[in-house]
Amino acid sequence: MKQSNCDAAPLKQTIKEELRQVITSLQQSLASMDSQEDCLLTDLEQIKGNFLTIEMQAATFYLNCYLSPFTEKYPELSICVQNMSKRRHGGLIVFERKDAVDHLIKPGIHIGAELTHSLLESIFFPGNPLHDGAVLVRSNRIVSAANVLPLSDIYTGDKKLGTRHRAAIGLSERSDALIMVISEETGRISFAFNGSLHPITSHGIV
């Protein structure tokens, strides 16, 4: 696999520019506090929204960087997760990186086929016997489906974390694998890496 030049990626430059704009907004808000007539609540709400947008863009950027040395199937993956998101078809996709994960998961059904968006979508189509488990991807091939991942014991306070998301975080806590999750309830796309869950933008990952 070719190493991606993440430092020169256009999205990284976009994120840097938007961060500079947020810094400018914060500086302006700080200066305006000297005036008793100004209320910062509206400004802070806007800045918070900007931060959330930047967070999703950054997650999309790092997703590409983390995966690019290990698979060339970005176009297929992008089409798959966008289609599943629109239809609210839940999914769990494990991308094996340097660490072998076979000993960490309960094996499902062997597939042994090239990764295509149509095959991934069919696996996770509601009613398919394989749709509840995780798909394991190694390089450009789907190794197996209906795999069971270790669940995380992570505490999220009052926020309820679904089984797919707990499974994604659980495996990422034990290996360097990157695990993509499509929520069945909301259609949101996120990925787990190094024990943390990150939402990504819905307009694509390429």
Side-chain angles (χ1 to χ4, degrees), residues 66-86:
Y66 294 153
L67 280 185
S68 59
F70 300 96
T71 184
E72 298 168 346
K73 292 295 186 175
Y74 283 123
E76 297 293 328
L77 178 62
S78 180
I79 293 170
C80 171
V81 297
Q82 288 183 76
N83 287 343
M84 291 176 62
S85 175
K86 291 175 184 176

Side-chain angles (χ1 to χ4, degrees), residues 3-192:
Q3 181 70 39
S4 173
N5 185 7
C6 293
D7 288 337
L11 183 55
K12 183 175 183 179
Q13 304 308 314
T14 299
I15 293 169
K16 290 171 69 174
E17 179 56 35
E18 292 187 0
L19 281 172
R20 292 189 187 101
Q21 293 175 8
V22 168
I23 291 171
T24 300
S25 297
L26 287 170
Q27 290 172 335
Q28 292 172 347
S29 296
L30 183 62
S32 70
M33 288 188 70
D34 292 333
S35 172
Q36 294 182 355
E37 297 179 358
D38 290 336
C39 177
L40 297 182
L41 295 179
T42 300
D43 292 341
L44 292 176
E45 190 68 24
Q46 179 64 47
I47 292 171
K48 183 174 71 173
N50 292 342
F51 264 124
L52 291 175
T53 299
I54 294 171
E55 179 189 14
M56 294 185 70
Q57 290 176 333
T60 302
F61 166 73
Y62 284 109
L63 170 68
N64 290 335
C65 290
Y66 294 153
L67 280 185
S68 59
F70 300 96
T71 184
E72 298 168 346
K73 292 295 186 175
Y74 283 123
E76 297 293 328
L77 178 62
S78 180
I79 293 170
C80 171
V81 297
Q82 288 183 76
N83 287 343
M84 291 176 62
S85 175
K86 291 175 184 176
R87 298 166 184 158
R88 296 195 177 182
H89 291 176
L92 191 60
I93 308 169
V94 176
F95 286 90
E96 187 178 73
R97 290 171 21 106
K98 292 181 180 178
D99 298 341
V101 299
D102 299 273
H103 66 291
L104 297 172
I105 66 179
K106 182 178 179 181
I109 305 300
H110 177 73
I111 302 294
E114 183 179 358
L115 189 159
T116 65
H117 74 87
S118 56
L119 178 55
L120 270 178
E121 289 177 49
S122 66
I123 289 173
F124 290 115
F125 193 85
N128 187 318
L130 305 180
H131 87 283
D132 273 337
V135 161
L136 174 59
V137 175
R138 184 176 294 134
S139 185
N140 298 322
R141 297 181 67 79
I142 298 176
V143 177
S144 55
N147 301 287
V148 179
L149 309 185
L151 297 181
S152 173
D153 294 325
I154 189 170
Y155 176 71
T156 57
D158 295 332
K159 184 179 179 181
K160 183 178 179 181
L161 206 58
T163 302
R164 282 194 180 95
H165 294 83
R166 287 180 59 205
I169 296 172
L171 183 60
S172 76
E173 290 172 336
R174 297 164 173 82
S175 71
D176 72 344
L178 187 147
I179 304 95
M180 295 198 66
V181 187
I182 301 93
S183 171
E184 190 172 349
E185 294 182 358
T186 66
R188 291 175 183 168
I189 307 166
S190 55
F191 73 90

